[in-house]
Amino acid sequence: MLLWTRIVLVGLICLSLVSSGMGCGPGRGYGRRRHPKKLTPLAYKQFIPNVAEKTLGASGRYEGKITRNSERFKELTPNYNTDIIFKDEENTGADRLMTQRCKDKLNSLAISVMNQWPGVKLRVTEGWDEDGHHFEESLHYEGRAVDITTSDRDKSKYGTLSRLAVEAGFDWVYYESKAHIHCSVKAENSVAAKSGGCFPGSSAVTLQDGTKKAVKDLRTGDRVLAADDDGNPIYTDFIMFIDRDSTTRRLFYVIETDSGQKITLTAAHLLFVAHNTTTEEERMSAVFASEVQRGQKVFVFDAERSRLEPVTVKRIYTQEHEGSFAPVTVQGTVVVDQVLASCYAVIEDHDLAHWALAPVRLAHWVSSLLFTFHEPQEVSAQNDGVHWYSKILYQLGTWLLDSHSIHPLGMSVYPS
């Protein structure tokens, strides 16, 4: 099946290359205010934003109840985060089921709670409701809402907990009751929920001469540090940005290692993590940034040994940045802020994504033969936006791939 998928992909891609010219369309993202130094607790019965929950400015309209037998049940994903306590009074696991966006925000909030109150965990009292315990058109029926407390059930913390939920990126937070806080998110197909796969423009790559360069300043032909198929450091050509946005504020995951390196990237971007094998070597695989867990190992470039070393993830948190850039290299990998990452996002299979970008690499190779660059060239023809080729791949992926292979917070696709 994968072989036929690839054959169909390359056929349609080649047709697109023949009939289309290089161009860009507007890209979009979604973010929240940066976590303030001093938190202002919400007042009892206050909600943020100050509009009704099911309006466009908050979590959006109700889209229908999800049951275990409905087609949309596959939209729900279980949350087994050990840093969160699930009440699960029905003993069915229903409270653990939620949309991917709700899961990402809840996991982010769990980190904030532990940072705010050491020894205290986030507690979920209500998640997806399959028993009709809530009012009509409740977002609990879609797995888009959770009711939360702290593990110690200290009501004096709930105002601050509400604020932490806002900062974690929930689309609507309501200090609803003295017993809990209500939080909800936009639907997965909401344009505003999409975050794509990018790095902040201030993230740095290493050039072949050993100097650092901001991702936003990359030019076609720059030779940047990456990794080959065997995980060995290699310098490779930067080709282009498949997504470039200089102004939109987005929410990023910051993954920090115990040796101090930090890589900042969006939830749907792929990052290489290590898996132990029977040998002493560490096998690497690419996972979504939102799926990386503390204690896992990422690959960090050791300049002294000139090799990539597995280093343990110590902390994960979220941060907002203005501007986001998705660089593509010939190798399909890139070392950003000393940490190895994939150039790809949204699709969980790095190898498939790299294979699908073969026509782009071919075009770059032909261009380099026809036009010899004496120095890196400015990408003057590429304006802000999602590249047309990336849009085509995304649309093909939604048609040909299983829904679980595509990150629900993938890119927003707009007509050109």
Side-chain angles (χ1 to χ4, degrees), residues 363-411:
H364 174 74
W365 178 74
V366 171
S367 178
S368 64
L369 289 179
L370 296 177
F371 309 101
T372 303
F373 298 143
H374 297 291
E375 61 181 34
Q377 303 296 303
E378 295 286 353
V379 195
S380 56
Q382 186 176 344
N383 299 318
D384 276 9
V386 179
H387 196 277
W388 67 269
Y389 186 77
S390 184
K391 292 181 183 180
I392 291 173
L393 289 182
Y394 180 75
Q395 292 287 17
L396 290 176
T398 59
W399 296 336
L400 299 172
L401 299 177
D402 183 90
S403 61
H404 295 293
S405 300
I406 301 174
H407 198 287
L409 303 187
M411 65 182 231

Side-chain angles (χ1 to χ4, degrees), residues 349-368:
D349 190 330
H350 167 84
D351 292 334
L352 178 59
H354 188 60
W355 188 90
L357 266 288
V360 170
R361 295 192 297 278
L362 176 62
H364 174 74
W365 178 74
V366 171
S367 178
S368 64

Side-chain angles (χ1 to χ4, degrees), residues 143-373:
R144 291 166 53 193
V146 288
D147 293 339
I148 60 172
T149 71
T150 54
S151 59
D152 60 2
R153 306 184 200 182
D154 182 353
K155 293 179 173 56
S156 67
K157 293 185 173 75
Y158 291 1
T160 301
L161 177 63
S162 303
R163 175 58 64 180
L164 289 174
V166 172
E167 301 301 325
F170 279 96
D171 299 306
W172 198 70
V173 178
Y174 181 26
Y175 192 168
E176 181 179 31
S177 159
K178 293 289 186 180
H180 69 261
I181 310 302
H182 176 82
C183 310
S184 62
V185 298
K186 295 179 183 295
E188 300 297 342
N189 59 7
S190 167
V191 167
K194 307 301 180 181
S195 62
C198 307
F199 306 101
S202 57
S203 292
V205 296
T206 303
L207 301 184
Q208 193 161 12
D209 63 5
T211 61
K212 305 291 185 184
K213 193 172 194 177
V215 168
K216 65 181 179 182
D217 296 328
L218 281 171
R219 297 183 294 175
T220 299
D222 274 335
R223 301 275 293 172
V224 300
L225 183 62
D228 63 17
D229 294 340
D230 296 319
N232 300 312
I234 188 174
Y235 287 93
T236 186
D237 282 355
F238 163 70
I239 301 175
M240 67 176 188
F241 294 107
I242 54 174
D243 191 353
R244 174 178 173 141
D245 188 333
S246 304
T247 58
T248 303
R249 300 191 71 83
R250 296 190 185 187
L251 195 68
F252 292 81
Y253 275 66
V254 182
I255 297 171
E256 181 180 348
T257 70
D258 59 9
S259 56
Q261 295 85 7
K262 298 178 184 178
I263 185 168
T264 306
L265 65 178
T266 49
H269 205 102
L270 292 175
L271 184 67
F272 291 103
V273 297
H275 292 282
N276 291 321
T277 63
T278 54
T279 67
E280 293 183 358
E281 296 182 355
E282 300 275 0
R283 182 175 59 86
M284 65 171 63
S285 63
V287 300
F288 292 128
S290 61
E291 297 297 327
V292 176
Q293 299 290 324
R294 288 181 303 162
Q296 284 187 305
K297 293 181 179 180
V298 295
F299 290 89
V300 172
F301 180 65
D302 185 331
E304 291 184 2
R305 297 184 179 182
S306 190
R307 58 183 291 180
L308 289 160
E309 298 282 0
V311 179
T312 303
V313 174
K314 178 180 70 174
R315 191 161 71 109
I316 303 171
Y317 54 98
T318 56
Q319 211 172 62
E320 187 185 321
H321 290 271
E322 183 176 289
S324 49
F325 300 79
V328 172
T329 67
V330 170
Q331 202 64 40
T333 59
V334 61
V335 174
V336 176
D337 293 327
Q338 301 302 105
V339 181
L340 177 65
S342 170
C343 289
Y344 311 123
V346 183
I347 305 298
E348 70 174 350
D349 190 330
H350 167 84
D351 292 334
L352 178 59
H354 188 60
W355 188 90
L357 266 288
V360 170
R361 295 192 297 278
L362 176 62
H364 174 74
W365 178 74
V366 171
S367 178
S368 64
L369 289 179
L370 296 177
F371 309 101
T372 303
F373 298 143

Side-chain angles (χ1 to χ4, degrees), residues 12-65:
L12 292 172
I13 286 164
C14 290
L15 286 173
S16 300
L17 285 172
V18 171
S19 62
S20 303
M22 302 293 277
C24 297
R28 295 283 191 258
Y30 184 77
R32 287 282 177 183
R33 292 190 346 177
R34 182 175 300 177
H35 192 101
K37 292 182 179 179
K38 184 176 181 180
L39 296 172
T40 303
L42 268 66
Y44 179 56
K45 291 297 181 181
Q46 182 182 359
F47 44 86
I48 292 180
N50 192 27
V51 295
E53 181 181 30
K54 294 191 285 291
T55 58
L56 184 61
S59 293
R61 64 185 180 86
Y62 175 74
E63 297 193 347
K65 186 175 183 178

